[in-house]
């Protein structure tokens, strides 16, 4: 942001600086024109109320939300509250948020939206009503760096040869366009793992357990690091990861930041057209 402000002050258009430095255009414009009253309020204590995040931390949250939107992540108001909770927990910031729900409060959300009007509430359109969305998806796909092209598997139904016979489990399947598979992840609907459940699994398979057998935030974070370990993306050879828009994939702040750090570009398939694309 500092580099973008300096570039604008030296004559570069705000829109160009926003694109070149990867910062929100409206945030940059407000800062350059010294009208960012909201940023001042972030660091101002009024009465007994203290802000949870400082200006830089809120900008990080805004940037993540806007980046997610460009990749078809479809962030809802509840998602923003979840991301805020994750940000506070990740940085060890004292907060009044609900640990039981894993959400920031609605009052915090109201203040956040007032401070950042560039983040607006939009209603996503269905694919049939918004065919340009598919065109935009392929445009984004074409602009992504070359590398490993992978498809994140959806929930699959399987049978476990054990006491849970007949219950469902989740198989996380990922492969490259060239046919190279990342060893799978199996998620069982149980509290503890049993060695017998690993019998016959492909080499390198990882396992997880929870009460539902579904993919969850913390489980997907484990899988993502498993993906990085096998895909080995780098600055010279980045990876492109295609996946569906399940909340454990898209509303996961740690995964978003890990992807940025490890040169992985995540693009979500537009909703309701995975079977076509």
């Amino acid at each position: 942001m500092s580099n973008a402000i300096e570039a604008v002050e030296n004559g570069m258009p705000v829109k160009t600086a926003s694109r070149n430095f990867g910062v929100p255009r409206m945030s940059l414009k407000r800062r350059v024109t010294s009208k960012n009253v909201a940023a001042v309020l972030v660091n101002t204590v009024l009465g007994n109320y203290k802000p949870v995040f400082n200006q830089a931390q809120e900008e990080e949250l805004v940037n993540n939300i806007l980046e997610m939107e460009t990749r078809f992540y479809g962030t809802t108001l509840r998602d923003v509250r979840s991301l805020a909770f994750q940000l506070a927990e990740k940085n060890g910031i004292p907060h009044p948020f609900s640990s039981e729900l894993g959400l920031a409060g609605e009052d915090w959300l109201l203040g956040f939206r007032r401070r950042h009007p560039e983040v607006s509430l939009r209603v996503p359109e269905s694919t049939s009503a918004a065919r340009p969305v598919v065109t935009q998806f392929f445009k984004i796909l074409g602009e992504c760096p070359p590398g490993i092209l992978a498809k994140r598997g959806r929930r699959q139904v399987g049978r476990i040869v054990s006491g849970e016979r007949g219950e469902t489990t989740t198989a996380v399947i990922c492969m490259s366009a060239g046919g190279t598979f990342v060893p799978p992840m199996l998620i069982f609907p149980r509290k503890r793992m049993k060695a017998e459940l690993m019998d016959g699994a492909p080499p390198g398979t990882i396992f997880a357990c929870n009460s539902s057998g579904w993919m969850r935030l913390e489980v997907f974070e484990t899988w993502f690091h498993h993906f990085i370990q096998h895909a080995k993306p780098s600055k010279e050879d980045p990876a492109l990861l295609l996946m569906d828009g399940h909340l454990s994939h898209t509303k996961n702040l740690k995964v978003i930041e890990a992807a940025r750090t490890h040169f992985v570009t995540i693009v979500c398939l537009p909703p309701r057209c995975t079977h076509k694309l």
Side-chain angles (χ1 to χ4, degrees), residues 202-246:
T205 300
I206 58 175
F207 305 87
C209 297
N210 58 51
S211 58
S212 66
W214 285 91
M215 176 63 78
R216 292 182 175 177
L217 289 174
E218 66 278 3
V219 177
F220 184 67
E221 182 184 351
T222 300
W223 178 87
F224 187 73
H225 287 287
H226 173 69
F227 167 78
I228 291 173
Q229 179 183 354
H230 288 273
K232 296 181 173 58
S234 63
K235 184 176 182 180
E236 294 73 26
D237 188 18
L240 170 63
L241 179 62
L242 300 181
M243 59 189 184
D244 60 44
H246 190 272

Side-chain angles (χ1 to χ4, degrees), residues 12 25 27 35 38 56 63 70 76 85 115 130 143 148 156 189 201-202 210 229-230 236 239 241 243 255:
M12 181 180 291
R25 181 170 59 87
S27 295
K35 294 180 180 179
N63 290 340
T70 64
T76 65
F85 178 83
R115 292 189 294 273
E143 294 173 350
I148 299 169
Q156 303 293 323
N210 58 51
Q229 179 183 354
H230 288 273
E236 294 73 26
L241 179 62
M243 59 189 184
V255 167

Side-chain angles (χ1 to χ4, degrees), residues 155-171 186-189 196-200:
R155 187 172 187 265
Q156 303 293 323
V157 176
R159 291 189 178 274
I160 308 170
V161 185
S162 71
E164 291 83 8
R165 180 179 298 276
E167 294 186 8
T168 57
T169 185
T170 298
L186 299 178
I187 308 170
F188 297 109
E196 292 84 348
L197 295 175
M198 303 180 186
D199 292 346

Side-chain angles (χ1 to χ4, degrees), residues 23-41:
V23 297
R25 181 170 59 87
M26 292 305 298
S27 295
L28 175 60
K29 184 176 180 180
R30 286 202 311 273
R31 292 195 180 198
V32 170
T33 56
S34 300
K35 294 180 180 179
N36 194 354
V37 178
V40 175
L41 291 176

Side-chain angles (χ1 to χ4, degrees), residues 99-213:
S99 298
E100 181 179 354
L101 297 176
L103 299 172
E106 293 184 1
D107 53 346
W108 175 87
L109 178 64
L110 180 62
F112 175 78
R113 294 184 65 189
R114 287 174 176 170
R115 292 189 294 273
H116 300 281
E118 71 272 27
V119 180
S120 61
L121 179 63
R122 300 286 297 277
V123 177
E125 298 179 356
S126 63
T127 305
S128 61
R131 291 188 61 185
V133 170
V134 176
T135 302
Q136 178 67 10
F137 168 76
F138 283 106
K139 180 176 182 294
I140 292 172
L141 204 59
E143 294 173 350
C144 288
I148 299 169
L149 180 64
K151 170 68 171 66
R152 220 329 246 120
R154 296 182 67 85
R155 187 172 187 265
Q156 303 293 323
V157 176
R159 291 189 178 274
I160 308 170
V161 185
S162 71
E164 291 83 8
R165 180 179 298 276
E167 294 186 8
T168 57
T169 185
T170 298
V172 187
I173 309 299
C174 181
M175 64 171 292
S176 73
T180 302
F181 281 82
V182 172
M185 176 187 230
L186 299 178
I187 308 170
F188 297 109
R190 56 185 297 118
K191 292 184 178 180
R192 299 180 188 85
M193 189 63 194
K194 292 175 61 177
E196 292 84 348
L197 295 175
M198 303 180 186
D199 292 346
T205 300
I206 58 175
F207 305 87
C209 297
N210 58 51
S211 58
S212 66

